[in-house]
Amino acid sequence: MRDTFLPFSLPTIGEEEIAEVMDSLRSGWITTGPKTKQFEEEFREYIGARHAIAVNSCTAGLHIALAALGIGPGDEVIVPTLTFCSTANVVVHLGARPVLVDVGEDFNVTPEAIERAITSRTRAIIPVHYGGQPCDLDAIYSVAACYNLPVVEDAAHAVGAAYHGHKIGSDFLSRGAEEQGSGGAREPRSRSVEERLTCNVQRVTVFSFYATKNMTTSEGGMITTADDELAERMRLLSLHGMSRDAWKRYTSTGSWYYEVLLPGYKYNMTDIQAALGIHQLRKLDDFIAIRRRYARMYDEGFADMPEVERPIIHSDRTHTYHLYVIRLNLERLTIDRAQFIEELKALNIGSSVHFIPVHLHLFYQRAFGYKPGDFPVAERIYERIVSLPLFPKMTEDDVKDVISAVKYIISKYKKK
Ligand SMILES: Cc1ncc(COP(=O)(O)O)c(C=O)c1O
């Protein structure tokens, strides 16, 4: 057994991040300013998006994305039930109804479930790229195009992930989405700037930089879109609805005068957060490479264990392994998932569960009438899942310790 506790996640913060934060603190410019602008620009380029808007959380970004789309009372928004509560909470904040839907065995929402849930009141779809593996975007955008519905991608886990060779949140969509329901070609292809903006589905992507995410700004998020009008509205909504560049009003080139064009929110990112983000972004591809290597080690470690199901991986997508989630084959074990987690903890290994399905939370049952049994795939997944430690700062020996601990628990509690 390990003699120190291995947490589920730890951020990797280097000297570069620390020096950049100190520079912000010393400069006196500690809220939204030049570093936030630089971070937006570098992120925009990394993703390949026309616009990037930094906000103080992914939740904030999802909220203003829906607000910019005009979602309000009486509207319905489709949300997978296997997600963090904030994906659904933001719909409720706007007075709309979150229409929960089931997921597939790969933990991602299915296009079929989305299509079945569409009514005359549906105003948007929020697919969640669970754990950093993209949803089937061709099929989802085909449905969206067919019904003329905007898509807000919850990419909280998916910074750096790609679908058919295109980064999540980039302006590129693969061909199927543009061919409106034709179920078109699935091969990646390069395209011109003009071509990539032709898809008529309104589209926004929102990322999280929360402490456990693949890159972090402690708290923070980023919105990307190719849509000029939506970008302008979201930028306004992120800072009180104040007219463009109001953040500059205390600089020598700024002006004290501003106008409030919308009743916006206070969701701006600070330069202290951006100072972290600038350096985390430069390290992101290396972080992802380590996560992928450790995920392979887990895959190999559990390969001969029928009691442990490994994640389902799609070869047409680049998975960033924000999470490595195993599914326990409970029929072969004498303990349940909660006991399994306790056993891991007793062996000095942290873990987590992603997620308690939204429809099992009290508020959603009371407010919208959801009940256990509504979404059988997500419920079955929920009873069995364990997210194992996975972060770049852990060592190969840490990964081996986790594999040994899982093997030990399984051998102890396996049905004879
Ligand atoms: C799927 C999903 N969506 C949204 C969020 C919210 O992100 P944030 O904490 O940046 O608001 C999270 C956070 O963990 C998440 O896992």
Side-chain angles (χ1 to χ4, degrees):
M1 185 179 104
R2 295 172 56 91
D3 39 353
T4 56
F5 184 69
L6 176 68
F8 163 68
S9 175
L10 274 180
T12 308
I13 307 289
E15 289 306 317
E16 302 83 356
E17 284 89 330
I18 293 169
E20 197 75 49
V21 168
M22 292 301 283
D23 183 65
S24 288
L25 294 174
R26 292 204 172 95
S27 77
W29 198 288
I30 54 173
T31 183
T32 308
K35 285 190 182 155
T36 307
K37 293 294 127 188
Q38 179 189 340
F39 181 38
E40 284 178 339
E41 188 51 31
E42 291 178 8
F43 191 86
R44 195 185 70 68
E45 270 201 21
Y46 172 83
I47 294 289
R50 193 169 161 93
H51 301 278
I53 301 157
V55 283
N56 60 15
S57 71
C58 175
T59 306
L62 291 168
H63 186 192
I64 57 177
L66 295 178
L69 286 165
I71 308 293
D75 294 342
E76 293 179 355
V77 177
I78 296 174
V79 173
T81 190
L82 193 67
T83 186
F84 186 56
C85 58
S86 72
T87 320
N89 285 350
V90 293
V91 177
V92 182
H93 293 163
L94 290 163
R97 180 184 178 89
V99 174
L100 301 175
V101 296
D102 213 343
V103 294
E105 293 297 332
D106 64 356
F107 306 149
N108 273 333
V109 65
T110 65
E112 296 77 22
I114 291 173
E115 189 159 15
R116 274 197 301 275
I118 292 172
T119 72
S120 58
R121 291 176 299 281
T122 309
R123 294 288 174 267
I125 303 166
I126 314 185
V128 177
H129 303 301
Y130 180 101
Q133 175 160 245
C135 297
D136 185 358
L137 289 182
D138 261 2
I140 289 173
Y141 275 94
S142 293
V143 173
C146 235
Y147 294 87
N148 196 22
L149 290 171
V151 176
V152 176
E153 292 176 40
D154 180 339
H157 303 176
V159 60
Y163 179 81
H164 293 184
H166 301 306
K167 283 221 175 78
I168 294 303
S170 76
D171 295 342
F172 293 90
L173 278 178
S174 51
R175 195 173 178 167
E178 293 174 13
E179 290 184 347
Q180 303 208 6
S182 66
R186 302 217 158 210
E187 304 83 43
R189 60 178 194 135
S190 59
R191 60 195 57 237
S192 66
V193 175
E194 297 70 39
E195 218 182 346
R196 68 185 157 155
L197 298 175
T198 55
C199 175
N200 63 1
V201 173
Q202 284 182 298
R203 176 165 180 248
V204 178
T205 305
V206 191
F207 301 91
S208 172
F209 307 135
Y210 177 68
T212 58
K213 297 299 191 289
N214 286 24
M215 58 172 279
T216 185
T217 59
S218 72
E219 298 279 357
M222 190 76 81
I223 308 170
T224 63
T225 188
D227 188 312
D228 295 344
E229 260 175 56
L230 276 180
E232 183 62 20
R233 286 178 75 79
M234 291 189 292
R235 199 172 278 289
L236 283 171
L237 286 167
S238 73
L239 190 59
H240 304 299
M242 284 154 71
S243 51
R244 213 173 160 68
D245 284 344
W247 64 272
K248 277 189 181 160
R249 64 195 188 282
Y250 299 117
T251 66
S252 59
T253 56
S255 157
W256 61 270
Y257 186 76
Y258 59 85
E259 280 172 352
V260 172
L261 306 175
L262 292 166
Y265 303 93
K266 177 69 171 155
Y267 284 168
N268 54 309
M269 178 178 277
T270 70
D271 265 24
I272 295 174
Q273 292 168 307
L276 287 166
I278 287 165
H279 293 281
Q280 289 274 295
L281 180 62
R282 290 177 195 164
K283 299 174 183 177
L284 176 63
D285 287 343
D286 290 340
F287 288 164
I288 294 171
I290 299 171
R291 285 175 176 273
R292 290 172 61 85
R293 183 156 54 84
Y294 290 171
R296 267 200 310 278
M297 285 176 67
Y298 279 145
D299 275 344
E300 283 160 19
F302 305 135
D304 56 353
M305 298 175 70
E307 297 81 10
V308 173
E309 274 178 51
R310 297 167 295 166
I312 295 170
I313 301 304
H314 298 286
S315 59
D316 61 342
R317 307 169 207 179
T318 307
H319 193 333
T320 54
Y321 285 102
H322 168 56
L323 300 175
Y324 188 92
V325 181
I326 55 167
R327 234 179 305 197
L328 300 175
N329 192 341
L330 295 176
E331 288 73 20
R332 290 174 174 264
L333 296 173
T334 57
I335 53 171
D336 64 13
R337 188 269 315 279
Q339 289 165 304
F340 184 91
I341 286 178
E342 285 310 307
E343 292 286 327
L344 271 180
K345 205 188 279 175
L347 294 171
N348 257 342
I349 289 173
S351 60
S352 192
V353 173
H354 297 87
F355 295 96
I356 303 167
V358 176
H359 74 280
L360 298 183
H361 287 299
L362 212 54
F363 169 78
Y364 285 90
Q365 299 193 350
R366 286 185 179 153
F368 299 105
Y370 291 112
K371 56 187 186 316
D374 281 351
F375 303 107
V377 182
E379 281 176 40
R380 194 180 142 84
I381 287 172
Y382 167 59
E383 282 165 11
R384 289 154 194 265
I385 46 177
V386 182
S387 306
L388 297 178
L390 181 59
F391 52 97
K393 216 175 172 176
M394 65 195 278
T395 63
E396 287 196 2
D397 282 342
D398 291 332
V399 179
K400 286 178 192 160
D401 284 348
V402 178
I403 295 170
S404 303
V406 170
K407 284 191 163 160
Y408 172 77
I409 299 166
I410 296 291
S411 66
K412 193 168 156 194
Y413 294 103
K414 153 161 126 171
K415 277 188 188 157
K416 300 287 180 278

